[in-house]
């Protein structure tokens, strides 16, 4: 059945993949025997730009639609559309044409209801609101009005036609929708979990909204085991735990995972703060040399992480800086110093880090398990479609861009494990690992995103043009910035 | 550190071929109640090494798990699930060490967190 899906106008790339992941979680694709279906059917209202907040989505049942909407972060509401039109006359026509047997169950005399108005790209006064609602008198509402806690929520949603002046694509046509709300997102979650009230934070703690989006992409739910190999202050696992998943985390920095900032300000306290179950385990381990026993495989249902990609925080791996550069030879730690010895770490290039992550995920994820992680993309190199890491065990099902600055953006990648981890794959991963180890410096330079992001901008290309031309190049439409 | 974690870890020192299971040296053991989740336990059961789990739980002072690998059918017994759950998720090693069976190298466990980092000469 088709539903009107209205989104919050933010993180545009993340909106459809979130609905599709949640639809899969709530059983929309259970009929698919091979489990290969990950996407839904979508339609746009006529003349609407793909970035429009209004979409139509085909979901198998109202129960699934409700569950999807209630758990999502970006769905403002899913609606059973009773009518639509470019004017209120057209809307009336359309609502009257909607089958009576679909409408009457929600209009009977022992029910309570409320009609609300929402607008996009325009402002409406209170008087206009009342006029619009009174204008619906042709619908035979028999129930009582209840503004606080109605059984049925009806919505009038109106968009205006507008030009290019407000930064939105100029193709939207005035459209009015009327529908019955099936479910809506619980954004109240966000003030509860927002970072500014969290006890223990690090410089790269994941924003609560994005952490919830990641947990949704990973289909985190009751009884599932979710692992974060770069756990830091646990901000991603908090979101997964909120949805009932069991969590596990590792980090190379022992001060972050073990000590925090005191007895009530550490990773554990972040879970206690929200009354969530504690992670099953936290450990200090190097993602480059993971301590999992040989033979252990397919234990995690999802791996969610924000790998250190060297812009705000650089990755570290075992082996001293000088050791990795080959300036000093391997040395032996004297026996009397072994107990409290702090092993040195060296820089960890993004390429190597992502290789290790994919190899770990290929081995440790269950079949159909998901790997969800951020991958940085340098934006000013002119290429329009960035290439993302690939792995024979995985299928990329979603890539959602979030622009961070003029120079780079991060893309949330969602990959599904479609093939088992074989000896051949293990062997080629081992050879690659050796290559990284032997050519440490080369990889470090190639994967150095920091210099690409922070080096002075290259103005040579526009020299010779006057200032006005340079200005014109900047696109007016900034959809992905919201 | 819970015994589930212990069952997943091994010593990955360069050259070590038999780093599992790590021996537990316990200094401080605590018990924390965890809500039981039968689905999760059933999923995990198939992935565990049974004998190391029995041995580890005995070291931690809990010896009620059956010696031999039980049949999948025991997972329907509430009594078994309770014990299994307790051993796997409720007993914590708060302070102590994990000892590599081959080299004797100790990986310290402090505030419940095992430190599996290798020294420079072990990489």
């Amino acid at each position: 059945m088709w539903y009107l899906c209205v989104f919050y106008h933010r993180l545009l790339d993340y909106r459809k993949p979130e609905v599709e992941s949640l639809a899969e979680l709530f059983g929309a694709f259970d009929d698919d025997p091979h489990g290969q279906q990950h996407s839904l059917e979508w339609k746009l209202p006529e003349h609407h730009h793909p970035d429009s907040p209004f979409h139509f989505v085909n979901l198998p049942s109202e129960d699934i639609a409700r569950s999807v909407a209630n758990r999502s972060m970006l769905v403002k509401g899913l609606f059973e559309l009773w009518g639509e039109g470019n004017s209120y006359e057209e809307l009336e026509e359309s609502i009257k044409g909607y089958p009576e047997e679909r409408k009457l169950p929600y209009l009977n005399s022992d029910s309570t209801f409320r009609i609300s108005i929402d607008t996009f790209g325009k402002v409406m006064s209170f008087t206009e609101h009342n006029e619009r609602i009174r204008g619906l008198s042709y619908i035979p509402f028999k129930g009582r009005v209840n503004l606080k806690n109605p059984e049925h929520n009806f919505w009038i949603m109106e968009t205006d036609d507008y030009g290019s002046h407000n930064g939105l694509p100029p193709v939207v046509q005035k459209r009015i929708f009327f529908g019955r709300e099936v479910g809506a997102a619980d954004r109240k979650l966000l003030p509860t979990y927002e970072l500014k009230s969290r006890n223990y934070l690090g410089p790269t703690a994941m924003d609560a909204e994005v952490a919830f989006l990641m947990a949704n992409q990973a289909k985190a739910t009751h009884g599932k085991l979710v692992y974060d190999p770069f756990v830091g202050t646990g901000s991603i696992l908090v979101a997964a735990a909120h949805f009932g998943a069991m969590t596990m985390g590792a980090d190379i920095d022992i001060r972050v995972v073990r000590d925090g900032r005191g007895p009530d300000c550490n990773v554990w306290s972040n879970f206690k703060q929200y009354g969530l179950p504690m992670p099953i385990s936290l450990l200090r381990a190097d993602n480059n040399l993971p301590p999992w026993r040989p033979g252990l495989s397919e234990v995690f249902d999802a791996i969610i992480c924000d790998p250190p990609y060297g812009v705000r925080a650089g990755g570290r791996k075992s082996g001293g800086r000088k050791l990795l550069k080959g300036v000093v030879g391997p040395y032996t730690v004297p026996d009397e110093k072994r107990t409290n010895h702090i092993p040195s770490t060296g820089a960890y290039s993004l390429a190597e880090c992502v290789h290790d992550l994919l190899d770990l995920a290929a081995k440790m994820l269950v079949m159909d398990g998901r790997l969800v992680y951020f991958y940085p993309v340098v934006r000013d190199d002119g290429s329009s479609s960035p290439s993302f890491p690939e792995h024979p065990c995985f299928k990329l099902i979603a890539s959602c861009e979030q622009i961070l600055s003029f120079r780079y953006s991060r893309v949330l990648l969602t990959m599904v494990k479609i093939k088992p981890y074989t000896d051949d794959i293990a062997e080629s991963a081992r050879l690659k690992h050796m290559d990284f180890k032997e050519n440490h410096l080369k990889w470090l330079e190639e994967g150095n995103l920091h210099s690409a992001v922070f080096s002075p901008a290259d103005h040579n290309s526009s020299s010779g043009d006057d200032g006005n031309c340079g200005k014109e190049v900047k696109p007016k439409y900034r959809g992905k910035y919201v | 550190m819970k015994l589930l974690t212990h069952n997943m870890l091994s010593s990955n020192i360069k050259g070590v071929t038999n780093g599992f299971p790590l021996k537990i040296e316990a200094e401080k053991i605590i018990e924390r109640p965890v809500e039981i989740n039968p689905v999760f336990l059933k999923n995990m059961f198939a992935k565990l090494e049974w004998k190391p789990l029995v041995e580890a739980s005995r070291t931690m002072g809990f010896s009620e798990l059956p010696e031999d690998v039980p049949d999948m059918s025991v997972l329907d017994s509430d009594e078994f699930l309770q014990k299994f759950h307790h051993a796997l998720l409720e007993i914590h090693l708060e302070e102590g060490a994990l000892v590599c069976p081959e080299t004797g190298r100790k990986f310290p466990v402090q505030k419940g967190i095992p430190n599996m980092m290798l020294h420079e000469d072990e990489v």
Side-chain angles (χ1 to χ4, degrees):
Chain A
M1 164 152 186
W2 285 92
Y3 293 88
L4 172 68
C5 181
V6 182
F7 290 111
Y8 285 101
H9 197 61
R10 49 185 288 100
L11 296 166
L12 306 185
D13 257 11
Y14 292 68
R15 302 176 303 172
K16 287 184 186 176
E18 187 193 30
V19 169
E20 288 174 340
S21 293
L22 292 176
E24 185 172 333
L25 173 65
F26 293 114
F29 308 133
D30 282 359
D31 300 341
D32 175 29
H34 306 294
Q36 287 181 357
Q37 198 188 337
H38 302 289
S39 56
L40 295 163
E41 271 183 281
W42 294 88
K43 274 194 307 207
L44 272 172
E46 214 181 324
H47 301 307
H48 275 226
H49 186 275
D51 285 348
S52 159
F54 298 95
H55 287 75
F56 295 105
V57 61
N58 194 358
L59 288 164
S61 75
E62 185 162 325
D63 281 340
I64 291 176
R66 185 178 303 108
S67 308
V68 168
N70 292 350
R71 199 179 128 164
S72 85
M73 288 292 121
L74 296 174
V75 175
K76 205 171 190 178
L78 277 169
F79 304 90
E80 180 193 355
L81 189 71
W82 284 19
E84 60 175 316
N86 294 333
S87 65
Y88 276 87
E89 291 73 38
E90 270 184 49
L91 181 69
E92 179 172 349
E93 199 74 11
S94 169
I95 293 177
K96 282 180 173 161
Y98 194 65
E100 292 293 315
E101 69 272 18
R102 298 272 338 149
K103 290 188 286 193
L104 290 178
Y106 303 99
L107 300 174
N108 57 19
S109 54
D110 50 0
S111 67
T112 55
F113 74 98
R114 168 195 164 135
I115 301 170
S116 316
I117 295 195
D118 193 19
T119 55
F120 184 75
K122 68 180 289 180
V123 180
M124 220 188 255
S125 70
F126 187 66
T127 338
E128 283 174 295
H129 273 214
N130 283 340
E131 275 170 22
R132 299 284 197 275
I133 292 173
R134 255 182 254 121
L136 291 175
S137 54
Y138 52 84
I139 303 175
F141 289 107
K142 299 258 171 27
R144 272 177 304 115
V145 171
N146 180 339
L147 296 183
K148 277 226 173 92
N149 197 13
E151 279 169 67
H152 308 305
N153 258 309
F154 297 93
W155 288 82
I156 301 174
M157 285 158 284
E158 206 178 309
T159 66
D160 231 341
D161 38 2
Y162 37 73
S164 55
H165 58 278
N166 60 355
L168 289 161
V171 283
V172 181
Q173 198 179 39
K174 181 178 165 113
R175 198 83 186 150
I176 308 153
F177 303 96
F178 179 80
R180 177 179 63 85
E181 179 182 306
V182 169
D186 180 14
R187 298 275 291 190
K188 284 201 285 296
L189 222 65
L190 294 175
T192 314
Y193 282 93
E194 68 186 350
L195 289 181
K196 68 179 178 190
S197 55
R198 194 166 301 169
N199 275 339
Y200 180 42
L201 283 178
T204 58
M206 185 59 66
D207 159 61
E209 181 181 22
V210 179
F212 282 122
L213 284 172
M214 293 171 91
N216 279 345
Q217 284 303 107
K219 300 198 293 171
T221 190
H222 228 66
K224 301 282 183 201
L225 184 56
V226 172
Y227 177 60
D228 179 354
F230 310 100
V231 68
T233 57
S235 47
I236 295 174
L237 292 187
V238 163
H242 172 82
F243 294 129
M246 306 275 211
T247 56
M248 258 176 126
D251 204 289
I252 195 166
D253 191 337
I254 191 146
R255 292 165 304 172
V256 178
V257 281
R258 185 188 63 192
D259 304 333
R261 293 190 216 287
D264 273 317
C265 186
N266 50 40
V267 184
W268 308 109
S269 78
N270 277 351
F271 286 79
K272 205 158 65 182
Q273 184 180 352
Y274 304 114
L276 298 172
M278 298 284 176
I280 285 186
S281 75
L282 293 173
L283 46 119
R284 184 198 188 195
D286 181 355
N287 193 52
N288 189 233
L289 297 159
W292 308 116
R293 72 171 150 84
L296 183 71
S297 66
E298 309 207 347
V299 279
F300 301 128
D301 295 287
I303 294 179
I304 319 179
C305 61
D306 184 20
Y309 33 77
V311 177
R312 281 200 296 171
R316 308 295 286 176
K317 66 170 179 174
S318 294
R321 186 165 43 90
K322 289 179 178 166
L323 196 71
L324 290 166
K325 274 187 181 162
V327 181
V328 295
Y331 56 93
T332 317
V333 185
D335 279 345
E336 69 276 14
K337 293 192 175 147
R338 292 199 89 91
T339 339
N340 285 321
H341 177 69
I342 296 172
S344 44
T345 56
Y348 191 23
S349 77
L350 177 67
E352 184 173 13
C353 176
V354 169
H355 164 79
D356 291 341
L357 178 64
L358 284 172
D359 186 52
L360 175 90
K363 186 170 180 204
M364 300 292 273
L365 280 179
V366 299
M367 285 302 289
D368 292 325
R370 290 185 168 200
L371 169 64
V372 178
Y373 67 107
F374 271 111
Y375 187 75
V377 174
V378 176
R379 297 180 57 233
D380 57 2
D381 62 354
S383 65
S384 53
S385 56
S387 59
F388 300 122
E390 287 173 7
H391 192 283
C393 294
F394 285 102
K395 180 175 156 195
L396 180 70
I397 56 161
S399 58
C400 314
E401 186 181 16
Q402 183 183 17
I403 293 171
L404 295 177
S405 79
F406 199 65
R407 310 296 292 279
Y408 86 113
S409 59
R410 60 179 184 180
V411 181
L412 184 66
L413 300 180
T414 306
M415 298 172 100
V416 178
K417 182 168 170 183
I418 49 162
K419 285 204 184 83
Y421 192 70
T422 61
D423 292 345
D424 286 350
I425 293 170
E427 178 59 15
S428 67
R430 193 187 65 83
L431 292 175
K432 191 83 182 155
H433 182 83
M434 296 313 290
D435 180 41
F436 277 117
K437 218 169 156 182
E438 276 155 28
N439 301 305
H440 177 70
L441 280 183
K442 183 190 112 199
W443 284 106
L444 212 55
E445 275 155 29
E446 278 180 17
N448 194 349
L449 192 70
H450 188 277
S451 59
V453 170
F454 291 109
S455 64
D458 182 18
H459 291 296
N460 293 338
S461 53
S462 59
S463 67
D465 299 335
D466 60 33
N468 280 341
C469 277
K471 233 178 181 175
E472 283 301 310
V473 174
K474 206 171 165 187
K476 273 223 175 83
Y477 173 58
R478 291 159 52 96
K480 278 190 184 173
Y481 286 87
V482 296
Chain B
M1 184 204 66
K2 299 174 202 270
L3 294 186
L4 171 64
T5 317
H6 171 261
N7 209 278
M8 294 167 74
L9 295 176
S10 76
S11 152
N12 59 343
I13 297 171
K14 190 180 174 185
V16 166
T17 50
N18 200 7
F20 179 82
L22 295 156
K23 258 207 322 269
I24 297 176
E25 278 186 9
E27 279 167 34
K28 187 178 170 198
I29 297 168
I30 53 171
E31 287 185 16
R32 264 198 226 119
V34 172
E35 203 186 322
I36 188 163
N37 184 330
V39 180
F40 178 75
L41 291 173
K42 283 171 193 171
N43 280 342
M44 277 300 137
F45 179 78
K47 288 156 193 168
L48 291 173
E49 289 282 337
W50 187 257
K51 288 228 155 88
L53 176 68
V54 176
E55 209 161 295
S57 73
R58 204 183 296 126
T59 317
M60 302 281 275
F62 181 75
S63 42
E64 287 178 50
L65 290 179
E67 243 1 92
D68 296 314
V69 190
D71 192 70
M72 281 296 272
S73 60
V74 293
L75 289 169
D76 298 328
S77 138
D78 275 348
E79 195 197 338
F80 173 81
L81 275 187
Q82 273 302 340
K83 287 178 184 168
F84 181 45
H85 169 74
H86 182 70
L88 206 61
L89 297 172
E90 293 190 321
I91 313 174
H92 292 258
L93 179 63
E94 187 71 2
E95 299 287 334
L98 300 172
V99 187
C100 168
E102 201 171 304
T103 61
R105 151 80 142 99
K106 285 183 185 176
F107 295 94
V109 178
Q110 293 164 318
K111 298 185 189 170
I113 293 174
N115 184 347
M116 302 307 291
M117 276 291 281
L118 300 177
H119 294 159
E120 288 86 338
D121 48 2
E122 297 167 334
V123 182

